[in-house]
Amino acid sequence: MKNTALTEVHIKAGAKMVPFAGYNMPVQYAGINAEHETVRKAVGVFDVSHMGEFILKGDHALDLIQKVTSNDASKLYDGKVQYSCLPNEDGGIVDDLLVYRIDEKTYMLVVNASNIEKDWDWISKYNTFGVDMKNISDRTSLLAIQGPKAAEALQSLTDIDLVSMEYYTFKKGKFADVDNVLISATGYTGAGGFEIYFENQHAGHIWDAIFKAGEPAGIKPIGLGARDTLRLEMGFCLYGNDIDDATSPLEAGLGWVTKFNKEFTNSEALQQQKQEGINRKLVGFEMIDRGIPRHDYAIVDADGNNIGKVTSGTQSPSLQKAIGMGYVDTSYAKEGSEIFISIRDNKVKAKIVKPPFYKAP
């Protein structure tokens, strides 16, 4: 099991640690609901250093990215971030990822922790362009500082004007007296905030500086449990649950990052799928009757016929109701449609709703 540079800090802070994607990670400190509320109303810090980072550099770095990703990376400019997918050759998804344009010839790809080796091998397979690839995952720490008070909590640590940073942009500069820190206006919570990348050796210093500076804003450490409930309230996909090697980006509602103005892995087959239509679709739903949907529970119609399965589900701390996502036959995917979740052999009523489930006040 791998540790992040901050594992000992989490243990000393009383975090409950669990294995996640091969790493020893904090799942909660004070409790998932309390931590969830902290991020929605104030500011919290996630250690997400288990994520993977690749640097692609060279004259043809963009050509390689265009070949392996579904979104159009030619639209990027220096300091811009893009959400994208790595489609496989069979209609599914190798991974979802972020693409950062550092400059015209240099890009950073941020991939899921469980897929680091898989993604590296996949991209390398298509690197016939002579692009210089570096896997900097093991030496890079990543903190996500999320919540409406994130800028207020961090501003004293940097000269970069955090409030004026646009969503999905980034800047490099000095942070907590450390040079060459990348600050990104991104996140996985829908609560606003920043993600900051730096070398492992600075992790303890930067962690302490953030908590000291953010104390007046009520900053707290947050575990992966609340990260999951926060992302689900926004309808954000989790790789391995809602998307995987067998789910098409079109089925997953990721047509907006699947651009057919270029050729990419399996683009011809995906374009044909778009033209012919899909048989199943990832939808959001909320429970009408009492019951909490869980991963892999069957979704059935009123007669008990199987029409799909749950991919993610929880009791939403913000909404005080059970919500979930899952794939259903497209004939049942219309907003407002009544479906049933099979919970311990009982049909529990739910209805299709359009994510995000949570709307910020």
Side-chain angles (χ1 to χ4, degrees):
M1 188 111 65
K2 288 184 174 181
N3 291 322
T4 76
L6 291 162
T7 298
E8 289 304 318
V9 172
H10 303 314
I11 292 168
K12 281 179 186 169
K16 180 184 177 186
M17 306 296 286
V18 297
F20 182 82
Y23 285 79
N24 190 19
M25 299 295 291
V27 69
Q28 63 180 43
Y29 299 81
I32 291 172
N33 286 356
E35 291 168 32
H36 183 107
E37 190 171 338
T38 293
V39 175
R40 282 275 178 255
K41 294 183 177 174
V43 57
V45 183
F46 302 83
D47 177 13
V48 282
S49 304
H50 59 318
M51 299 290 282
E53 295 87 13
F54 307 153
I55 300 294
L56 273 55
K57 196 167 189 171
D59 291 341
H60 296 288
L62 177 60
D63 295 325
L64 175 57
I65 290 165
Q66 289 287 71
K67 177 65 182 171
V68 297
T69 65
S70 61
N71 209 337
D72 185 2
S74 72
K75 302 290 189 196
L76 290 170
Y77 50 84
D78 294 358
K80 182 65 177 165
V81 190
Q82 183 182 75
Y83 178 66
S84 195
C85 281
L86 298 172
N88 65 23
E89 290 159 350
D90 307 311
I93 299 169
V94 177
D95 203 4
D96 61 336
L97 74 162
L98 295 179
V99 181
Y100 285 66
R101 175 166 149 157
I102 312 288
D103 61 46
E104 192 182 358
K105 297 181 181 182
T106 313
Y107 294 80
M108 180 171 75
L109 309 184
V110 181
V111 303
N112 284 301
S114 55
N115 292 335
I116 293 172
E117 191 177 339
K118 172 182 150 187
D119 292 359
W120 178 265
D121 292 345
W122 181 262
I123 298 165
S124 299
K125 183 173 90 164
Y126 287 96
N127 187 13
T128 56
F129 302 94
V131 175
D132 179 34
M133 292 175 54
K134 283 193 174 67
N135 182 353
I136 62 166
S137 307
D138 285 345
R139 68 171 198 255
T140 304
S141 288
L142 170 58
L143 296 178
I145 298 90
Q146 297 284 292
K149 295 184 179 179
E152 175 191 330
L154 299 180
Q155 190 58 76
S156 65
L157 299 172
T158 183
D159 290 337
I160 293 168
D161 183 2
L162 299 176
V163 174
S164 69
M165 282 182 70
E166 292 178 9
Y167 191 45
Y168 267 62
T169 64
F170 70 93
K171 291 184 178 176
K172 274 188 168 187
K174 187 173 273 197
F175 182 88
D177 295 322
V178 176
D179 289 322
N180 201 35
V181 173
L182 190 153
I183 305 174
S184 170
T186 50
Y188 194 48
T189 64
F194 305 89
E195 295 182 302
I196 59 173
Y197 300 79
F198 48 88
E199 292 186 0
N200 288 345
Q201 68 209 56
H202 304 299
H205 165 74
I206 286 179
W207 178 272
D208 290 343
I210 287 171
F211 277 90
K212 189 176 179 182
E215 195 174 345
I219 201 164
K220 296 278 197 315
I222 312 294
L224 293 181
R227 183 171 161 88
D228 193 49
T229 55
L230 288 157
R231 71 91 194 168
L232 184 47
E233 285 185 348
M234 299 310 297
F236 294 154
C237 289
L238 173 64
Y239 193 88
N241 279 44
D242 312 300
I243 52 175
D244 57 33
D245 286 301
T247 57
S248 142
L250 302 179
E251 293 172 338
L254 298 177
W256 62 283
V257 298
T258 309
K259 303 293 170 62
F260 296 113
N261 60 339
K262 60 161 198 166
E263 279 188 34
F264 57 86
T265 319
N266 207 43
S267 56
E268 203 173 297
L270 287 172
Q271 189 159 20
Q272 188 177 345
Q273 186 183 66
K274 184 181 181 180
Q275 287 162 355
E276 292 175 355
I278 51 177
N279 297 320
R280 62 174 189 158
K281 188 178 177 185
L282 183 66
V283 295
F285 61 86
E286 61 182 38
M287 301 303 296
I288 295 170
D289 292 339
R290 191 178 173 87
I292 298 177
R294 299 293 185 197
H295 179 67
D296 273 349
Y297 281 9
I299 302 175
V300 298
D301 65 12
D303 297 322
N305 300 309
N306 195 307
I307 57 167
K309 73 170 184 175
V310 176
T311 54
S312 291
T314 194
Q315 176 74 12
S316 161
S318 301
L319 304 173
Q320 295 295 300
K321 65 172 73 168
I323 59 171
M325 299 200 300
Y327 286 91
V328 297
D329 297 345
T330 43
S331 56
Y332 292 89
K334 191 178 175 187
E335 197 174 345
S337 294
E338 187 177 88
I339 58 170
F340 297 84
I341 312 302
S342 181
I343 303 178
R344 289 183 290 280
D345 295 328
N346 293 319
K347 286 191 310 180
V348 184
K349 193 185 291 186
K351 71 172 179 180
I352 304 290
V353 297
K354 189 178 179 182
F357 302 95
Y358 174 80
K359 274 77 168 182

